[in-house]
Amino acid sequence: MQNQGELHEKTLQIKRDIGVVLLHKREFKKALEMLEDVLENFRRIYEESHPEFIATRVILVGALMNLNELDKAVEIGRDVCRKYKNTLGANHLKH
């Protein structure tokens, strides 16, 4: 069965985009809340190694950095790097 409504991939991508807009508007707390909600829902439809999930976590790191939650941002950032490498391969960005 295909996901619809709140769990549809496009719905989650749009919500992630709204999170990015909130970051650009410097509404970091709202952005963080939106991105955490998106991640929670992506987790229901994807594995954590899925590119959509990883990309959302990268944006989340930016929100955390702007809220001065640096330890958490670094922790997630390192995990994201490992997952990118494992998912896409070590040579992916060398092309």
Side-chain angles (χ1 to χ4, degrees), residues 15-63:
K15 283 184 161 187
R16 180 180 59 207
D17 292 345
I18 292 169
V20 171
V21 169
L22 291 168
L23 283 174
H24 286 287
K25 290 178 67 178
R26 305 187 64 75
E27 295 181 30
F28 304 125
K29 187 160 178 54
K30 286 183 183 178
L32 180 64
E33 290 168 359
M34 176 72 70
L35 294 167
E36 287 175 334
D37 180 62
V38 170
L39 278 172
E40 182 179 318
N41 286 311
F42 268 149
R43 195 174 270 120
R44 295 170 66 187
I45 62 173
Y46 295 135
E47 293 184 19
E48 289 190 12
S49 60
H50 190 281
E52 290 289 346
F53 189 87
I54 293 171
T56 305
R57 288 185 82 203
V58 168
I59 299 165
L60 181 82
V61 167

